[in-house]
Amino acid sequence: MQQLELIVVQLEEAKGMIEKGRVAHLRLAFILLDSVTELILHRTVQSELWDQEMLVGLLSTYRQLAGHGSAEAAAEVEAIEARIISKSELNKIDRNFDAKVNFLVERGVLDAALAPVLEKLHKYRNEMYHRDKLRPEVIKPATLIYFDSACTVLSSYRHLYTLYGSPSELGPELRRYAVADGPLGFVRQDLPQRIAAQLRHEVGLDLPQVRRALVQYLNARLDEMRDGLTFIEDNLGLPHLVPGDALRLVQANLTATTTLEQVRGRPYPYSKKDLERWRSLVSALESINDKHHLVREYAGIEDAFEPLEQKIEKAVRDLDRHLSLQDDMARGK
C-alpha cells in the first residue's frame, strides 16, 4: 500500500496546485504529474518483466539439455530466446521515458493513442525543468491534459496490494479510497482504477476549453512567424526584397558570399505553402472531439513548424539587435 500511497499523494498535490491555478502552481503540478507518471510506468514495466530472470535461468538449463542431443530442449531454447529481452533493450527501457511508454504499448498495457500524448507532455516537462521554457499561454490546458493522462496510466497500473491492519494507519490521501475495502485483509485489486476515476472526475477536463486554448496558442505562434518575416523584409535594408525573400533568407546558408538571386534559386525545407498548410491544420483541430486525437494532431503541427519558428525568432533577434546598435551609434552612444 505504501507504493500506491506515494502515487496518490503526488496526484492529490498536483490536484491542489491545479485548483490554485496560478502559472507558478501549474508548473509545479506539471512536474509532479510527469514524475508520478514515470513512476507508474516504471513499476508497470517491472511487473511486465517479472519473468525475465527466470527465463534466463531456464534458457541455460535447456541449452545444456539441447547440447546433449534433446530435440525437445532445442525447440524450447528457441521459444525462450524469443521471450527474453536483450540487456541493451532493458537498459533503454529503464532509462528512457518514451521507451517505457512504447514497451507498454507493445505489451497491450497502454492504448497506442496515448503514447504520442505522453511523449509530447514529457517533452514539455523537460523544457520546463531543464531549460526554463514555460509556455505560459498553454500551461493550464497542458496540465489538465497531463492530469487526465496520468489517471489513464494509473488505470493500467498492474500491481498487487495487500493491506494488513486498519485503514486508519494510512495517510488521508489514500485512506478515503481504501476505507471502503474493509478494515482488514486484502484490498481490492481495482483500487488504482477507482482512484483514477475519482480523481479524473474531481479535476475534470473541459475538452472544448482545452481545444480552444490549443488552437489560439498555435495561431498566435503562426501569427508571430508571419509578423517576424514581415519585420525582416521591412527592416533588413536590402533593395528589391519581395514577399517570400525573408522566408528564404532565414533558411539560407549565408556563411559564404551569396547574392539575393542565388538565395532565390535554391530549394529550402519550408515554403509559403507550409505556412498555409499549418494554418489549415490548426483550423481542423476545432472539429476534433477525441482528447488523444486532439493532442496528437496538436503535437504534430507544433513539431512540424518549430524548427522554422526557431530560425525566424533568431533572425528577428539578430536584426533587432543590429538595428538597435545602429540607432545607438547614430545618437552617439
Side-chain angles (χ1 to χ4, degrees):
M1 289 300 290
Q2 184 180 22
Q3 290 187 331
L4 185 58
E5 188 170 33
L6 291 175
I7 291 171
V8 172
V9 167
Q10 289 187 72
L11 287 170
E12 289 282 2
E13 288 297 317
K15 183 182 77 169
M17 297 289 181
I18 291 171
E19 289 169 351
K20 290 180 179 178
R22 295 175 58 207
V23 169
H25 292 114
L26 292 170
R27 177 185 180 276
L28 287 175
F30 199 96
I31 292 172
L32 269 177
L33 289 168
D34 184 81
S35 173
V36 73
T37 299
E38 187 154 18
L39 176 61
I40 299 170
L41 292 173
H42 171 76
R43 291 180 179 172
T44 308
V45 165
Q46 293 306 305
S47 70
E48 287 292 311
L49 297 174
W50 69 270
D51 61 348
Q52 288 298 299
E53 187 173 347
M54 177 192 70
L55 289 173
V56 171
L58 283 175
L59 181 61
S60 176
T61 300
Y62 277 104
R63 277 177 173 168
Q64 290 178 8
L65 293 173
H68 290 88
S70 170
E72 294 84 358
E76 285 296 326
V77 166
E78 186 174 344
I80 294 171
E81 285 179 336
R83 294 171 59 190
I84 292 177
I85 301 173
S86 69
K87 287 185 178 180
S88 62
E89 185 64 21
L90 288 173
N91 288 335
K92 180 181 177 182
I93 293 170
D94 184 59
R95 295 193 310 266
N96 187 274
F97 182 96
D98 292 355
K100 289 182 180 69
V101 173
N102 292 329
F103 173 76
L104 293 176
V105 168
E106 290 170 3
R107 289 291 180 105
V109 178
L110 291 180
D111 186 346
L114 185 61
V117 177
L118 292 175
E119 291 167 5
K120 184 64 174 178
L121 294 170
H122 183 65
K123 179 182 175 183
Y124 272 10
R125 177 267 180 193
N126 288 340
E127 290 179 350
M128 290 182 196
Y129 191 79
H130 296 296
R131 297 194 293 277
D132 196 26
K133 186 172 182 179
L134 193 56
R135 300 179 188 262
E137 302 88 350
V138 79
I139 190 170
K140 184 172 183 178
T143 304
L144 290 172
I145 291 167
Y146 214 164
F147 194 96
D148 185 87
S149 299
C151 289
T152 300
V153 176
L154 179 57
S155 296
S156 302
Y157 191 25
R158 294 184 178 180
H159 205 79
L160 297 177
Y161 307 99
T162 306
L163 175 63
Y164 298 100
S166 170
S168 63
E169 299 172 4
L170 300 173
E173 296 84 3
L174 185 56
R175 191 187 311 145
R176 73 185 182 113
Y177 304 104
V179 69
D181 291 338
L184 293 171
F186 290 99
V187 173
R188 284 165 47 189
Q189 292 186 20
D190 69 342
L191 182 56
Q193 290 72 36
R194 287 187 286 128
I195 293 171
Q198 182 65 29
L199 286 171
R200 179 183 280 117
H201 172 73
E202 291 172 357
V203 172
L205 180 66
D206 186 336
L207 188 61
Q209 185 179 35
V210 167
R211 182 175 56 228
R212 185 162 53 250
L214 296 180
V215 168
Q216 290 174 351
Y217 179 59
L218 291 180
N219 273 326
R221 290 170 67 184
L222 290 173
D223 288 345
E224 288 181 7
M225 292 168 65
R226 177 201 61 204
D227 295 344
L229 293 172
T230 301
F231 173 79
I232 293 169
E233 289 174 352
D234 289 346
N235 295 278
L236 192 56
L238 293 178
H240 312 303
L241 283 183
V242 298
D245 280 344
L247 183 57
R248 301 181 189 97
L249 286 166
V250 298
Q251 300 178 77
N253 180 4
L254 302 177
T255 55
T257 302
T258 307
T259 67
L260 187 55
E261 291 303 319
Q262 289 173 323
V263 168
R264 288 171 178 164
R266 293 172 181 169
Y268 299 101
Y270 303 101
S271 68
K272 182 182 177 182
K273 289 183 179 179
D274 292 302
L275 295 170
E276 294 169 348
R277 179 171 56 86
W278 293 328
R279 188 76 73 174
S280 177
L281 290 172
V282 172
S283 296
L285 294 179
E286 296 177 354
S287 63
I288 297 177
N289 294 312
D290 177 83
K291 59 190 176 185
H292 293 154
H293 184 199
L294 173 66
V295 178
R296 186 169 65 250
E297 293 300 311
Y298 163 86
I301 298 168
E302 184 179 64
D303 291 345
F305 74 58
E306 272 193 339
L308 177 61
E309 180 184 44
Q310 292 167 4
K311 290 179 182 294
I312 294 173
E313 288 176 347
K314 182 180 184 305
V316 169
R317 285 195 306 270
D318 291 346
L319 178 55
D320 186 59
R321 191 180 302 115
H322 175 73
L323 293 173
S324 295
L325 180 61
Q326 282 191 326
D327 184 57
D328 288 344
M329 291 175 63
R331 290 186 293 170
K333 288 189 176 181

